Amino acid sequence: MALILTVFAVMAAVWLGRYIAADRTMRASIRQAVRVRRGWKRLAQMAGLSVTDKMPTALAALTTTETNKAPKPRVLTPALKVKPDRFGIVARANCLPKVGLEEFQKATPYLADAWRCARVSVTPDGPGQVVIRGVRVDPLASPTEHVPTGKAPEDLATWHLGVDGYAQPVTVALSNVPGVTVAGLPGYGKTSLINKFICDCAPSPEIQFAVADGKVSAAYEGDYADLMHRLFAFVGDDLEEANALFKRLVKLRRERSASIKDVLGVKNMWKVGPSENWPLTVLIIDEAHTYFRDYKGNDAQTKKLAALAAENARLVEDLVKKGRSVGILVILATQKSTGDAIPTFIRDVCPVGLSFAQKTAEASVAALGDDIRNWPDANPVNLQDPNYVGVASMALQGRPGFIRLRTPYVDDTHAAEIAGATAHHTYDPQKLLDYYAASYLDTGVDLDKGDDDTPEAA
């Protein structure tokens, strides 16, 4: 008895210590977890999450034989393990006959009311198990800030975007993805999302970045000024400069295609993954409509701009449609990704699309596809609120429908620190290719036809 009392005393002391050490938000979650555990058996029966077992146990059968009384049926409820976190609770439960995933999902409104949660979700957690996520505080309405660790990511093929409406991490697999589109009204988080991606990946020499920013004329004016040391190329809103950059990357794509089998031993870079000698090359085109605009007019200057815009679209189309297997990824950001902003022959082959707040249903459909009409709760038209700055909608790979997610903000100071500390990882992928694949590039084909951009000039 003394030993049992000692064990309980130690457990109580540990629990009390954690409670005292927690902040106000975490304490509320701890109290919520206690209420959920204490009231689970009663609530499960009231919510239809129980089953009656009329088969007596072996002990009950023996007792019945002795007393000649029929045993009472047992009411079984799923076993529940509950853990608190900053947003609410995470519970794991086992399923019973006639109490499975579907029954748990139907009961979520009742569980949300009983547990005083903003929302509750139920997802499978292996055979015969479910995870119940209850959020007391809405993660989408709580702005978050991200401080880069300065450590190279374990997997460059995984983009950590933020958290969904249940505070669960949202990631996107970039392996074999040729392009990503990011849409949304100005000031709602497009550039911040991209800045976080650069800051998280910058410590790895296995990835290189080029940026075309249509909002500015020079690098020091824009959102990428603090990241310049980690970019191997940057252009502003000048269409000729952008055209030269796109040609430069198309040349890289062609020469990588010509040499990949000899250098890497595979036809698809993603089979071996990015490396320092063959880095994943990311082209970020911010305010993409600047470079693809359909100019109208008969004067010489307008005709020149129209020709440049048309060629820009053709070059970026080449990168998106043919660059995947050689390790080139294009990220296009614009306010409204309709066909006049991002040509449909580019936009429609980008398998990953996000949209921050939009003003019209037409813009939402252009960014996320026509199916967004069937998911009104996730429509980015509903994100036009200052509280939803940094919140986007997207179709998540491997899940039906659409989700909303909160993307964190990265302070400019942190971005500058990361760029400065990782500047020594910045290399021009073309120069790397010239060094490591020079002997394989004598193809007899003029890859630079119509292109004045030479490796020496680069």
Side-chain angles (χ1 to χ4, degrees):
M1 182 63 71
L3 180 60
I4 293 174
L5 290 175
T6 301
V7 171
F8 276 103
V10 171
M11 293 174 61
V14 170
W15 184 91
L16 184 60
R18 289 177 178 172
Y19 183 80
I20 293 173
D23 57 21
R24 184 177 178 180
T25 303
M26 194 63 189
R27 288 179 186 177
S29 295
I30 292 173
R31 294 194 300 270
Q32 183 183 29
V34 172
R35 289 196 305 270
V36 169
R37 291 192 199 99
R38 189 174 56 199
W40 170 243
K41 286 192 175 182
R42 180 186 294 270
L43 175 62
Q45 295 181 43
M46 297 171 64
L49 298 176
S50 63
V51 63
T52 301
D53 184 5
K54 298 180 180 180
M55 185 72 177
T57 62
L59 181 60
L62 291 174
T63 305
T64 301
T65 304
E66 294 176 0
T67 62
N68 295 320
K69 291 183 180 179
K72 292 183 179 180
R74 294 180 302 149
V75 177
L76 305 180
T77 57
L80 193 74
K81 294 182 180 180
V82 186
K83 288 186 178 180
D85 64 16
R86 298 195 62 81
F87 294 97
I89 59 100
V90 178
R92 282 178 165 79
N94 66 303
C95 298
L96 297 174
K98 296 187 178 180
V99 181
L101 175 64
E102 185 177 351
E103 285 70 31
F104 274 101
Q105 290 176 336
K106 288 180 180 178
T108 53
Y110 313 124
L111 300 179
D113 291 339
W115 293 348
R116 303 173 191 173
C117 290
R119 62 179 73 93
V120 170
S121 73
V122 179
T123 54
D125 188 36
Q129 301 287 326
V130 296
V131 174
I132 308 172
R133 177 60 169 144
V135 289
R136 186 186 66 265
V137 180
D138 188 355
L140 300 179
S142 305
T144 56
E145 187 169 338
H146 175 69
V147 179
T149 63
K151 298 179 180 179
E154 295 182 1
D155 183 11
L156 282 176
T158 301
W159 185 356
H160 297 271
L161 299 175
V163 296
D164 64 12
Y166 298 95
Q168 299 302 297
V170 177
T171 60
V172 168
L174 295 179
S175 176
N176 284 299
V177 170
V180 177
T181 59
V182 183
L185 296 174
Y188 272 83
K190 299 190 300 296
T191 303
S192 180
L193 171 70
I194 296 171
N195 281 350
K196 177 185 178 297
F197 176 60
I198 297 176
C199 288
D200 285 346
C201 296
S204 173
E206 298 176 357
I207 186 169
Q208 300 299 332
F209 301 96
V211 171
D213 188 359
K215 298 190 298 293
V216 299
S217 298
Y220 64 85
E221 302 173 350
D223 296 315
Y224 300 93
D226 297 311
L227 297 169
M228 275 302 298
H229 295 300
R230 193 57 183 88
L231 309 178
F232 75 84
F234 179 91
V235 296
D237 57 2
D238 187 283
L239 263 63
E240 287 193 65
E241 293 181 2
N243 187 260
L245 173 61
F246 299 155
K247 283 182 177 179
R248 177 176 163 186
L249 290 174
V250 168
K251 178 177 181 293
L252 172 67
R253 197 276 307 161
R254 289 173 175 171
E255 294 189 352
R256 278 191 171 187
S257 297
S259 62
I260 185 171
K261 189 70 169 62
D262 295 307
V263 177
L264 299 183
V266 294
K267 295 181 179 179
N268 187 334
M269 183 275 292
W270 289 108
K271 290 186 177 180
V272 295
S275 64
E276 190 169 351
N277 300 336
W278 194 290
L280 172 62
T281 302
V282 181
L283 170 62
I284 297 164
I285 308 177
D286 205 341
E287 301 298 333
H289 53 272
T290 302
Y291 307 105
F292 308 133
R293 177 183 168 187
D294 186 14
Y295 288 87
K296 303 291 185 182
N298 294 320
D299 59 285
Q301 181 62 18
T302 301
K303 288 183 177 180
K304 179 181 178 181
L305 292 174
L308 284 170
E311 187 176 19
N312 287 343
R314 179 183 62 79
L315 293 169
V316 173
E317 179 188 15
D318 179 282
L319 294 173
V320 173
K321 290 186 175 180
K322 302 176 183 179
R324 172 187 57 82
S325 61
V326 296
I328 295 177
L329 169 67
V330 181
I331 300 176
L332 303 109
T334 187
Q335 297 175 22
K336 189 172 68 169
S337 57
T338 48
D340 56 339
I342 301 178
T344 55
F345 52 79
I346 296 175
R347 184 193 69 195
D348 292 347
V349 294
C350 294
V352 178
L354 295 88
S355 180
F356 292 85
Q358 293 288 359
K359 236 179 177 183
T360 65
E362 175 198 15
S364 298
V365 170
L368 300 174
D370 194 64
D371 193 37
I372 189 62
R373 300 182 190 273
N374 301 321
W375 299 82
D377 291 342
N379 198 311
V381 171
N382 300 322
L383 300 178
Q384 298 179 72
D385 188 296
N387 292 326
Y388 288 133
V389 171
V391 177
S393 298
M394 70 175 296
L396 194 60
Q397 297 162 322
R399 283 175 57 175
F402 294 82
I403 65 166
R404 296 190 298 174
L405 64 141
R406 159 70 64 178
T407 62
Y409 170 75
V410 178
D411 189 84
D412 293 340
T413 304
H414 298 314
E417 291 175 354
I418 289 293
T422 61
H424 60 286
H425 290 318
T426 305
Y427 295 97
D428 186 338
Q430 181 65 61
K431 292 182 178 179
L432 290 171
L433 186 68
D434 290 343
Y435 181 80
Y436 289 104
S439 60
Y440 303 112
L441 291 177
D442 186 15
T443 61
V445 178
D446 185 6
L447 298 175
D448 295 325
K449 186 176 181 180
D451 184 1
D452 296 330
D453 186 25
T454 64
E456 291 75 12

